[in-house]
Amino acid sequence: MRYSQLLLPTLKETPAEAEIVSHQLLLRAGFIRKLTAGIYAYLPLGLRTLRKIEAIVREEMNRAGAQELLLPMVQPADLWQESGRWEKYGPELLRFVDRHQRASCLGPTHEEVITDLVRMNVHSYKELPLNLYQIQTKFRDEIRPRFGLMRGREFVMKDGYSFDADEAAAGITYNKMKEAYSRIFARCGLSCRAVEADTGTIGGNFSHEFMVLAATGEDTIVVCTACDYAANMEKATCPPPAPAATLPAMLELERIATPGQKTVEEVTAFLGITPDQLVKTMIYLADGKPVAALVRGDHEVQPVKLKNLLGVVDVELAGEDTIRKICDLVPGYLGPIGLTMPVVADHQVMVMANMVTGANQEDVHLKNVNLGRDFTVSQAGDLRMATAVDSCPQCHGRLELPRGIEVGHIFKLGTSYSEALQATFLDDHGKRQPFVMGCYGIGVSRCIAAAIEQNHDDNGIIFPLPIAPFQVILLNLSPKDVEISRGADNLYEELTSRGIDTLHDDRNERPGIKFKDADLIGIPLRVMVGKRFAEAGEVEIKQRASGDTQVLPMAGAADALVAMLDRIMTGAPKA
Ligand code: ATP
Ligand code: MG
């Protein structure tokens, strides 16, 4: 490709709207442009990287025995009503009616559609296992689209769905997908970790998320420094504390004036106590009904754990208005005594004595509050976020809590969808059975952003070779010089004919501008044809990642580049 003909609008300035480096660089390097909130156009460079990731995904999915198909994006409401998700899915599902008043939605995911397809077309155990996938644009009306390709409303996903005859077979498929995912992300040059994830209300099942470690990740993950334990925050268990050998004597309940002291920091400083002597009372709406959740002052409620403990579909932290108007309580001074709503407690709270809590009265806290004597709880369990001072639930080793970007998610679904949609097959005894399903997603477009978060410097992107839009950028440093231009053109022809993705910067621009743009767009190898070629028949090759340069005779340049590309590729897992 000739740069002079390419739509590649690079920007000198960092766009103010972009907070994280991948978003900034994708805009500056001319990979994407925003149409409207969370919706982006892929310019030629962006599309090339997207297609390279898709190709790796395809190869590995096919290798693992999955088959590609392409499902409709518009989905009829009645399918979603059958699965029960038409109501449950929430406002991320973009619903609309067509001219015949038929309710429809834009596909955020395709469990319903694929299950419908399979129930109509697959009837016998002899046709199983079946693993189907597609690479397609999804639409989710995200409440807070942000960070460019990281969290879009429209984004490209690989979604796969497996159908097996029984749990054991589904387990084999799941493990195959887990291996395929590890290969996919390694081949994309992403450093990734599989972590255990929450399976929500579909009990007894299994799920892993694939996390690219990066400081800008939206998720925090919990990893053990001593063993292989790794989980996301929703899943990372905090085992119950050992029961105290002797409980301290219950002291007399005291009211203390705490004017204006609301937060844990304020109250502990004001009373001269530590946060672990205080209990935080958090009001949530669980499927719309208020519930109070108690955690120790130095802990935070994990909403998914709360949701699972309560066995509800949705929990939402109550705002100040709800607390005042619906619950008739005082934000900042909440406590468990005298509440009429259900009270649930983290199991760390269950071993506390003489706690400090709010008094459910403006400017007042209570001291020496005791469970049993002063209030009761309806349920206790693991409700809180793990912290770096907790120890590993598997080996008691030290935990770390790095941040990560979720690029993939695999999930053993069991029979929840096949039962809801009555998708069945005849087993080898002629008995009707629901398919045992799994689903497997990859955020293909999000992977571009994740790769940049992991691979960049002050000058721009440093693409891993397998997903770089071009492998080589060839700079003609003197486009007005006929001899140099002929040399550059010939090398470009040779590289292209040898199957190397080459971008030829033939623009009438100063070398400095070409160097800057080449660094910004992150092409792994840069070849420079300039004065040196005119004087000594030599070209210079520079590696984007290491900055290493070497000078070679033009005659051997193509061979040298091919060899360098091979060397870089063998450093990465083989295709
Ligand atoms: P998240 O927790 O980030 O919202 P999710 O659990 O909703 O993700 P899945 O439904 O498992 O995501 O989707 C499969 C994959 O699609 C995710 O692992 C992620 O990489 C990608 N993905 C999900 N939502 C978005 C989005 N809004 N923009 C870009 N990629 C996304
Ligand atoms: Mg989501």
Side-chain angles (χ1 to χ4, degrees), residues 86-138:
W86 186 251
E87 277 77 35
K88 269 193 218 159
Y89 205 92
E92 262 182 39
L93 184 67
L94 187 63
R95 302 161 170 90
F96 58 94
V97 286
D98 64 17
R99 64 167 80 199
H100 302 294
Q101 301 309 309
R102 284 182 295 232
S104 308
C105 63
L106 286 185
T109 177
H110 281 68
E111 282 82 5
E112 283 78 0
V113 172
I114 196 92
T115 308
D116 176 58
L117 184 85
V118 168
R119 75 175 163 187
M120 308 295 258
N121 295 285
V122 179
H123 306 289
S124 157
Y125 73 96
K126 290 180 198 148
E127 297 166 88
L128 303 179
L130 193 58
N131 193 345
L132 304 166
Y133 76 97
Q134 60 172 344
I135 297 176
Q136 187 204 37
T137 298
K138 296 282 184 272

Short mmCIF file of all heavy atoms in Angstrom, two decimals, residues 86-138:
data_model
loop_
_atom_site.label_atom_id
_atom_site.label_comp_id
_atom_site.label_asym_id
_atom_site.label_seq_id
_atom_site.Cartn_x
_atom_site.Cartn_y
_atom_site.Cartn_z
N TRP A 86 -36.25 -11.16 27.72
CA TRP A 86 -36.80 -9.91 27.18
C TRP A 86 -37.00 -8.90 28.30
O TRP A 86 -36.69 -7.73 28.17
CB TRP A 86 -38.12 -10.20 26.46
CG TRP A 86 -38.70 -9.00 25.74
CD1 TRP A 86 -39.81 -8.30 26.11
CD2 TRP A 86 -38.20 -8.39 24.55
NE1 TRP A 86 -40.03 -7.28 25.22
CE2 TRP A 86 -39.05 -7.30 24.25
CE3 TRP A 86 -37.11 -8.64 23.71
CZ2 TRP A 86 -38.86 -6.48 23.14
CZ3 TRP A 86 -36.92 -7.82 22.61
CH2 TRP A 86 -37.80 -6.74 22.34
N GLU A 87 -37.48 -9.40 29.45
CA GLU A 87 -37.66 -8.51 30.61
C GLU A 87 -36.36 -8.35 31.38
O GLU A 87 -36.02 -7.27 31.83
CB GLU A 87 -38.74 -9.07 31.56
CG GLU A 87 -40.15 -8.74 31.16
CD GLU A 87 -40.63 -9.63 30.01
OE1 GLU A 87 -40.24 -10.81 29.97
OE2 GLU A 87 -41.38 -9.12 29.15
N LYS A 88 -35.63 -9.47 31.53
CA LYS A 88 -34.47 -9.47 32.44
C LYS A 88 -33.29 -8.68 31.92
O LYS A 88 -32.48 -8.22 32.70
CB LYS A 88 -34.01 -10.92 32.64
CG LYS A 88 -34.66 -11.61 33.82
CD LYS A 88 -33.92 -12.90 34.12
CE LYS A 88 -34.86 -14.02 34.54
NZ LYS A 88 -34.26 -15.34 34.36
N TYR A 89 -33.13 -8.59 30.60
CA TYR A 89 -31.84 -8.11 30.09
C TYR A 89 -31.55 -6.65 30.44
O TYR A 89 -30.42 -6.27 30.51
CB TYR A 89 -31.75 -8.33 28.57
CG TYR A 89 -30.32 -8.42 28.09
CD1 TYR A 89 -29.68 -9.65 27.99
CD2 TYR A 89 -29.59 -7.28 27.76
CE1 TYR A 89 -28.37 -9.76 27.58
CE2 TYR A 89 -28.26 -7.38 27.34
CZ TYR A 89 -27.67 -8.62 27.26
OH TYR A 89 -26.37 -8.71 26.84
N GLY A 90 -32.56 -5.86 30.65
CA GLY A 90 -32.30 -4.46 31.02
C GLY A 90 -32.05 -3.59 29.81
O GLY A 90 -32.11 -4.05 28.66
N PRO A 91 -31.75 -2.31 30.07
CA PRO A 91 -31.71 -1.32 28.98
C PRO A 91 -30.51 -1.45 28.04
O PRO A 91 -30.44 -0.71 27.06
CB PRO A 91 -31.68 0.03 29.71
CG PRO A 91 -31.38 -0.27 31.13
CD PRO A 91 -31.61 -1.71 31.40
N GLU A 92 -29.57 -2.37 28.30
CA GLU A 92 -28.49 -2.58 27.32
C GLU A 92 -29.04 -3.19 26.03
O GLU A 92 -28.41 -3.12 24.98
CB GLU A 92 -27.42 -3.50 27.89
CG GLU A 92 -26.23 -2.76 28.45
CD GLU A 92 -25.15 -3.67 28.98
OE1 GLU A 92 -24.88 -4.71 28.36
OE2 GLU A 92 -24.58 -3.33 30.02
N LEU A 93 -30.21 -3.84 26.15
CA LEU A 93 -30.84 -4.46 24.98
C LEU A 93 -31.63 -3.39 24.24
O LEU A 93 -32.58 -2.84 24.79
CB LEU A 93 -31.77 -5.59 25.44
CG LEU A 93 -32.44 -6.42 24.36
CD1 LEU A 93 -31.42 -7.26 23.60
CD2 LEU A 93 -33.49 -7.35 24.98
N LEU A 94 -31.22 -3.10 23.01
CA LEU A 94 -31.91 -2.06 22.25
C LEU A 94 -33.13 -2.67 21.56
O LEU A 94 -33.03 -3.45 20.63
CB LEU A 94 -30.98 -1.45 21.20
CG LEU A 94 -31.57 -0.24 20.48
CD1 LEU A 94 -31.85 0.91 21.43
CD2 LEU A 94 -30.65 0.22 19.36
N ARG A 95 -34.31 -2.31 22.09
CA ARG A 95 -35.56 -2.88 21.60
C ARG A 95 -36.21 -1.88 20.65
O ARG A 95 -36.14 -0.68 20.87
CB ARG A 95 -36.50 -3.18 22.76
CG ARG A 95 -35.92 -4.12 23.81
CD ARG A 95 -36.70 -3.98 25.12
NE ARG A 95 -36.36 -5.00 26.09
CZ ARG A 95 -35.40 -4.90 27.00
NH1 ARG A 95 -34.66 -3.81 27.04
NH2 ARG A 95 -35.18 -5.87 27.87
N PHE A 96 -36.89 -2.38 19.64
CA PHE A 96 -37.62 -1.50 18.73
C PHE A 96 -38.75 -2.27 18.07
O PHE A 96 -38.79 -3.50 18.17
CB PHE A 96 -36.68 -0.89 17.68
CG PHE A 96 -35.96 -1.91 16.85
CD1 PHE A 96 -36.49 -2.31 15.62
CD2 PHE A 96 -34.77 -2.46 17.28
CE1 PHE A 96 -35.83 -3.26 14.85
CE2 PHE A 96 -34.09 -3.40 16.52
CZ PHE A 96 -34.63 -3.81 15.31
N VAL A 97 -39.65 -1.53 17.43
CA VAL A 97 -40.71 -2.21 16.67
C VAL A 97 -40.55 -1.86 15.20
O VAL A 97 -40.15 -0.76 14.84
CB VAL A 97 -42.13 -1.82 17.14
CG1 VAL A 97 -42.47 -2.45 18.46
CG2 VAL A 97 -42.29 -0.31 17.21
N ASP A 98 -40.87 -2.83 14.33
CA ASP A 98 -40.77 -2.56 12.90
C ASP A 98 -42.11 -2.04 12.39
O ASP A 98 -43.05 -1.80 13.16
CB ASP A 98 -40.26 -3.79 12.14
CG ASP A 98 -41.22 -4.97 12.22
OD1 ASP A 98 -42.41 -4.76 12.57
OD2 ASP A 98 -40.79 -6.10 11.93
N ARG A 99 -42.24 -1.85 11.08
CA ARG A 99 -43.44 -1.23 10.52
C ARG A 99 -44.71 -2.06 10.73
O ARG A 99 -45.81 -1.58 10.65
CB ARG A 99 -43.24 -0.95 9.03
CG ARG A 99 -43.05 -2.21 8.23
CD ARG A 99 -43.16 -1.92 6.76
NE ARG A 99 -41.95 -1.36 6.21
CZ ARG A 99 -41.91 -0.70 5.05
NH1 ARG A 99 -43.00 -0.50 4.36
NH2 ARG A 99 -40.78 -0.26 4.58
N HIS A 100 -44.50 -3.37 11.00
CA HIS A 100 -45.67 -4.23 11.26
C HIS A 100 -45.93 -4.37 12.76
O HIS A 100 -46.61 -5.30 13.18
CB HIS A 100 -45.46 -5.60 10.62
CG HIS A 100 -45.21 -5.54 9.15
ND1 HIS A 100 -46.16 -5.11 8.26
CD2 HIS A 100 -44.09 -5.80 8.43
CE1 HIS A 100 -45.66 -5.13 7.03
NE2 HIS A 100 -44.40 -5.55 7.10
N GLN A 101 -45.30 -3.49 13.52
CA GLN A 101 -45.46 -3.49 14.98
C GLN A 101 -44.91 -4.75 15.62
O GLN A 101 -45.35 -5.17 16.69
CB GLN A 101 -46.95 -3.29 15.40
CG GLN A 101 -47.57 -2.01 14.89
CD GLN A 101 -46.72 -0.77 15.22
OE1 GLN A 101 -46.32 -0.56 16.35
NE2 GLN A 101 -46.41 0.02 14.20
N ARG A 102 -43.94 -5.40 14.97
CA ARG A 102 -43.31 -6.56 15.59
C ARG A 102 -42.14 -6.09 16.44
O ARG A 102 -41.28 -5.36 15.96
CB ARG A 102 -42.78 -7.51 14.51
CG ARG A 102 -43.89 -8.32 13.85
CD ARG A 102 -43.32 -9.26 12.83
NE ARG A 102 -42.71 -8.52 11.74
CZ ARG A 102 -42.99 -8.73 10.44
NH1 ARG A 102 -43.85 -9.67 10.08
NH2 ARG A 102 -42.42 -8.02 9.50
N ALA A 103 -42.15 -6.52 17.71
CA ALA A 103 -41.07 -6.12 18.61
C ALA A 103 -39.80 -6.91 18.27
O ALA A 103 -39.85 -8.11 18.01
CB ALA A 103 -41.47 -6.38 20.06
N SER A 104 -38.69 -6.20 18.24
CA SER A 104 -37.41 -6.81 17.89
C SER A 104 -36.32 -6.19 18.75
O SER A 104 -36.55 -5.25 19.51
CB SER A 104 -37.07 -6.53 16.42
OG SER A 104 -38.14 -6.90 15.59
N CYS A 105 -35.11 -6.73 18.60
CA CYS A 105 -33.97 -6.11 19.27
C CYS A 105 -32.73 -6.30 18.41
O CYS A 105 -32.71 -7.14 17.52
CB CYS A 105 -33.77 -6.70 20.66
SG CYS A 105 -33.38 -8.44 20.67
N LEU A 106 -31.71 -5.49 18.72
CA LEU A 106 -30.41 -5.68 18.07
C LEU A 106 -29.60 -6.63 18.95
O LEU A 106 -29.53 -6.44 20.17
CB LEU A 106 -29.67 -4.35 17.96
CG LEU A 106 -30.18 -3.37 16.90
CD1 LEU A 106 -29.25 -2.16 16.83
CD2 LEU A 106 -30.28 -4.03 15.53
N GLY A 107 -29.00 -7.64 18.32
CA GLY A 107 -28.34 -8.70 19.08
C GLY A 107 -27.15 -8.22 19.91
O GLY A 107 -26.15 -7.79 19.36
N PRO A 108 -27.27 -8.34 21.26
CA PRO A 108 -26.12 -8.07 22.12
C PRO A 108 -25.31 -9.35 22.32
O PRO A 108 -24.18 -9.33 22.78
CB PRO A 108 -26.78 -7.64 23.44
CG PRO A 108 -28.10 -8.33 23.45
CD PRO A 108 -28.51 -8.58 22.03
N THR A 109 -25.93 -10.49 21.99
CA THR A 109 -25.39 -11.83 22.18
C THR A 109 -26.41 -12.76 21.51
O THR A 109 -27.51 -12.32 21.17
CB THR A 109 -25.19 -12.12 23.69
OG1 THR A 109 -24.72 -13.46 23.84
CG2 THR A 109 -26.48 -11.98 24.48
N HIS A 110 -26.06 -14.03 21.28
CA HIS A 110 -26.92 -14.84 20.40
C HIS A 110 -27.33 -16.20 20.97
O HIS A 110 -27.60 -17.12 20.20
CB HIS A 110 -26.24 -15.02 19.05
CG HIS A 110 -26.36 -13.81 18.17
ND1 HIS A 110 -25.74 -12.61 18.44
CD2 HIS A 110 -27.06 -13.60 17.02
CE1 HIS A 110 -26.05 -11.73 17.50
NE2 HIS A 110 -26.84 -12.30 16.63
N GLU A 111 -27.42 -16.33 22.29
CA GLU A 111 -27.82 -17.63 22.84
C GLU A 111 -29.19 -18.06 22.31
O GLU A 111 -29.40 -19.22 21.94
CB GLU A 111 -27.88 -17.59 24.37
CG GLU A 111 -26.53 -17.67 25.07
CD GLU A 111 -25.83 -16.32 25.13
OE1 GLU A 111 -26.42 -15.31 24.71
OE2 GLU A 111 -24.67 -16.28 25.59
N GLU A 112 -30.14 -17.13 22.29
CA GLU A 112 -31.49 -17.47 21.86
C GLU A 112 -31.51 -17.92 20.41
O GLU A 112 -32.11 -18.93 20.05
CB GLU A 112 -32.44 -16.27 22.04
CG GLU A 112 -32.89 -15.99 23.46
CD GLU A 112 -31.86 -15.28 24.32
OE1 GLU A 112 -30.76 -14.99 23.81
OE2 GLU A 112 -32.15 -15.05 25.51
N VAL A 113 -30.87 -17.11 19.55
CA VAL A 113 -30.92 -17.37 18.11
C VAL A 113 -30.26 -18.71 17.78
O VAL A 113 -30.79 -19.51 17.01
CB VAL A 113 -30.23 -16.22 17.34
CG1 VAL A 113 -30.10 -16.55 15.87
CG2 VAL A 113 -31.04 -14.93 17.51
N ILE A 114 -29.11 -18.98 18.40
CA ILE A 114 -28.40 -20.22 18.06
C ILE A 114 -29.16 -21.42 18.62
O ILE A 114 -29.23 -22.47 17.98
CB ILE A 114 -26.94 -20.18 18.57
CG1 ILE A 114 -26.10 -21.26 17.89
CG2 ILE A 114 -26.82 -20.36 20.06
CD1 ILE A 114 -25.41 -20.82 16.67
N THR A 115 -29.74 -21.28 19.81
CA THR A 115 -30.48 -22.40 20.39
C THR A 115 -31.70 -22.71 19.53
O THR A 115 -32.04 -23.88 19.30
CB THR A 115 -30.89 -22.08 21.84
OG1 THR A 115 -29.72 -21.66 22.54
CG2 THR A 115 -31.46 -23.30 22.54
N ASP A 116 -32.32 -21.66 19.01
CA ASP A 116 -33.46 -21.86 18.12
C ASP A 116 -33.02 -22.58 16.84
O ASP A 116 -33.66 -23.53 16.39
CB ASP A 116 -34.06 -20.49 17.78
CG ASP A 116 -35.20 -20.59 16.78
OD1 ASP A 116 -36.17 -21.31 17.10
OD2 ASP A 116 -35.11 -19.98 15.71
N LEU A 117 -31.91 -22.16 16.29
CA LEU A 117 -31.40 -22.78 15.06
C LEU A 117 -31.11 -24.26 15.28
O LEU A 117 -31.47 -25.11 14.45
CB LEU A 117 -30.12 -22.06 14.62
CG LEU A 117 -29.53 -22.52 13.31
CD1 LEU A 117 -30.20 -21.80 12.15
CD2 LEU A 117 -28.02 -22.27 13.27
N VAL A 118 -30.49 -24.55 16.41
CA VAL A 118 -30.10 -25.93 16.66
C VAL A 118 -31.32 -26.79 16.98
O VAL A 118 -31.42 -27.94 16.53
CB VAL A 118 -29.02 -25.99 17.77
CG1 VAL A 118 -28.80 -27.41 18.26
CG2 VAL A 118 -27.70 -25.41 17.24
N ARG A 119 -32.30 -26.25 17.70
CA ARG A 119 -33.48 -27.08 18.02
C ARG A 119 -34.25 -27.43 16.75
O ARG A 119 -34.89 -28.47 16.67
CB ARG A 119 -34.39 -26.41 19.05
CG ARG A 119 -35.23 -25.28 18.53
CD ARG A 119 -36.20 -24.73 19.58
NE ARG A 119 -36.68 -23.42 19.16
CZ ARG A 119 -37.42 -22.62 19.89
NH1 ARG A 119 -37.78 -22.97 21.11
NH2 ARG A 119 -37.82 -21.46 19.42
N MET A 120 -34.19 -26.55 15.74
CA MET A 120 -34.90 -26.83 14.48
C MET A 120 -34.15 -27.81 13.60
O MET A 120 -34.74 -28.41 12.72
CB MET A 120 -35.09 -25.53 13.67
CG MET A 120 -35.70 -24.40 14.45
SD MET A 120 -37.38 -24.77 14.93
CE MET A 120 -38.22 -23.80 13.70
N ASN A 121 -32.83 -27.92 13.78
CA ASN A 121 -32.03 -28.62 12.77
C ASN A 121 -31.19 -29.79 13.27
O ASN A 121 -30.61 -30.50 12.48
CB ASN A 121 -31.10 -27.62 12.06
CG ASN A 121 -31.90 -26.61 11.27
OD1 ASN A 121 -32.43 -26.92 10.20
ND2 ASN A 121 -32.04 -25.41 11.81
N VAL A 122 -31.10 -29.94 14.58
CA VAL A 122 -30.27 -31.03 15.12
C VAL A 122 -31.17 -31.89 16.01
O VAL A 122 -31.83 -31.38 16.90
CB VAL A 122 -29.08 -30.46 15.94
CG1 VAL A 122 -28.23 -31.58 16.50
CG2 VAL A 122 -28.25 -29.53 15.07
N HIS A 123 -31.18 -33.22 15.74
CA HIS A 123 -32.18 -34.03 16.41
C HIS A 123 -31.62 -35.26 17.13
O HIS A 123 -32.31 -35.87 17.93
CB HIS A 123 -33.23 -34.48 15.40
CG HIS A 123 -33.84 -33.34 14.66
ND1 HIS A 123 -34.69 -32.44 15.26
CD2 HIS A 123 -33.67 -32.90 13.39
CE1 HIS A 123 -35.03 -31.50 14.38
NE2 HIS A 123 -34.41 -31.77 13.23
N SER A 124 -30.34 -35.59 16.84
CA SER A 124 -29.84 -36.85 17.39
C SER A 124 -28.47 -36.68 18.03
O SER A 124 -27.68 -35.80 17.63
CB SER A 124 -29.74 -37.88 16.25
OG SER A 124 -28.81 -38.89 16.59
N TYR A 125 -28.21 -37.53 19.01
CA TYR A 125 -26.88 -37.52 19.66
C TYR A 125 -25.77 -37.75 18.64
O TYR A 125 -24.63 -37.37 18.85
CB TYR A 125 -26.83 -38.59 20.77
CG TYR A 125 -26.75 -40.01 20.26
CD1 TYR A 125 -25.51 -40.65 20.16
CD2 TYR A 125 -27.89 -40.71 19.88
CE1 TYR A 125 -25.43 -41.95 19.69
CE2 TYR A 125 -27.82 -41.99 19.41
CZ TYR A 125 -26.59 -42.62 19.30
OH TYR A 125 -26.50 -43.89 18.83
N LYS A 126 -26.14 -38.40 17.51
CA LYS A 126 -25.12 -38.70 16.49
C LYS A 126 -24.58 -37.42 15.85
O LYS A 126 -23.51 -37.43 15.25
CB LYS A 126 -25.71 -39.59 15.39
CG LYS A 126 -25.99 -41.00 15.87
CD LYS A 126 -26.57 -41.83 14.75
CE LYS A 126 -27.24 -43.06 15.32
NZ LYS A 126 -28.40 -43.47 14.50
N GLU A 127 -25.34 -36.34 15.95
CA GLU A 127 -24.90 -35.06 15.35
C GLU A 127 -24.06 -34.22 16.34
O GLU A 127 -23.66 -33.12 16.01
CB GLU A 127 -26.12 -34.26 14.90
CG GLU A 127 -26.91 -34.96 13.81
CD GLU A 127 -28.28 -34.31 13.63
OE1 GLU A 127 -28.39 -33.37 12.84
OE2 GLU A 127 -29.23 -34.77 14.31
N LEU A 128 -23.84 -34.78 17.52
CA LEU A 128 -23.11 -34.04 18.57
C LEU A 128 -21.70 -34.61 18.74
O LEU A 128 -21.50 -35.77 18.41
CB LEU A 128 -23.88 -34.10 19.88
CG LEU A 128 -25.31 -33.58 19.80
CD1 LEU A 128 -25.98 -33.71 21.16
CD2 LEU A 128 -25.35 -32.12 19.33
N PRO A 129 -20.73 -33.87 19.25
CA PRO A 129 -20.83 -32.48 19.68
C PRO A 129 -20.88 -31.52 18.49
O PRO A 129 -20.42 -31.84 17.40
CB PRO A 129 -19.54 -32.27 20.47
CG PRO A 129 -18.57 -33.24 19.90
CD PRO A 129 -19.37 -34.43 19.46
N LEU A 130 -21.42 -30.34 18.77
CA LEU A 130 -21.52 -29.31 17.75
C LEU A 130 -21.05 -28.01 18.38
O LEU A 130 -21.49 -27.64 19.46
CB LEU A 130 -22.98 -29.20 17.34
CG LEU A 130 -23.30 -28.41 16.08
CD1 LEU A 130 -22.59 -28.97 14.87
CD2 LEU A 130 -24.81 -28.43 15.86
N ASN A 131 -20.13 -27.35 17.70
CA ASN A 131 -19.58 -26.11 18.23
C ASN A 131 -19.62 -25.08 17.10
O ASN A 131 -18.99 -25.26 16.07
CB ASN A 131 -18.14 -26.36 18.72
CG ASN A 131 -17.61 -25.23 19.58
OD1 ASN A 131 -18.18 -24.14 19.60
ND2 ASN A 131 -16.52 -25.48 20.28
N LEU A 132 -20.41 -24.03 17.28
CA LEU A 132 -20.66 -23.05 16.21
C LEU A 132 -20.24 -21.67 16.67
O LEU A 132 -20.46 -21.31 17.83
CB LEU A 132 -22.16 -23.04 15.88
CG LEU A 132 -22.75 -24.39 15.49
CD1 LEU A 132 -24.28 -24.35 15.51
CD2 LEU A 132 -22.25 -24.82 14.11
N TYR A 133 -19.65 -20.91 15.77
CA TYR A 133 -19.26 -19.55 16.16
C TYR A 133 -19.44 -18.58 15.01
O TYR A 133 -19.59 -18.99 13.84
CB TYR A 133 -17.80 -19.51 16.64
CG TYR A 133 -16.77 -19.59 15.54
CD1 TYR A 133 -16.17 -18.44 15.02
CD2 TYR A 133 -16.39 -20.81 15.00
CE1 TYR A 133 -15.22 -18.51 14.00
CE2 TYR A 133 -15.45 -20.89 13.98
CZ TYR A 133 -14.87 -19.74 13.48
OH TYR A 133 -13.95 -19.81 12.48
N GLN A 134 -19.44 -17.30 15.36
CA GLN A 134 -19.49 -16.25 14.34
C GLN A 134 -18.62 -15.09 14.81
O GLN A 134 -18.30 -14.97 15.99
CB GLN A 134 -20.93 -15.78 14.15
CG GLN A 134 -21.53 -15.21 15.42
CD GLN A 134 -22.90 -14.57 15.21
OE1 GLN A 134 -23.29 -14.27 14.09
NE2 GLN A 134 -23.61 -14.35 16.30
N ILE A 135 -18.26 -14.25 13.85
CA ILE A 135 -17.57 -13.00 14.19
C ILE A 135 -18.45 -11.91 13.63
O ILE A 135 -18.71 -11.87 12.42
CB ILE A 135 -16.16 -12.96 13.57
CG1 ILE A 135 -15.30 -14.09 14.15
CG2 ILE A 135 -15.52 -11.60 13.82
CD1 ILE A 135 -13.92 -14.22 13.54
N GLN A 136 -18.95 -11.05 14.52
CA GLN A 136 -20.04 -10.17 14.10
C GLN A 136 -20.09 -8.92 14.96
O GLN A 136 -19.60 -8.90 16.08
CB GLN A 136 -21.34 -10.98 14.28
CG GLN A 136 -22.57 -10.32 13.76
CD GLN A 136 -23.79 -10.87 14.47
OE1 GLN A 136 -23.75 -11.14 15.66
NE2 GLN A 136 -24.88 -11.02 13.73
N THR A 137 -20.71 -7.90 14.43
CA THR A 137 -20.92 -6.67 15.19
C THR A 137 -22.07 -6.85 16.16
O THR A 137 -23.15 -7.29 15.78
CB THR A 137 -21.23 -5.51 14.23
OG1 THR A 137 -20.10 -5.34 13.38
CG2 THR A 137 -21.48 -4.22 14.98
N LYS A 138 -21.81 -6.53 17.41
CA LYS A 138 -22.86 -6.62 18.43
C LYS A 138 -23.28 -5.21 18.81
O LYS A 138 -22.50 -4.27 18.69
CB LYS A 138 -22.30 -7.29 19.70
CG LYS A 138 -21.87 -8.71 19.48
CD LYS A 138 -23.08 -9.62 19.46
CE LYS A 138 -22.69 -11.07 19.33
NZ LYS A 138 -22.56 -11.50 17.93
#
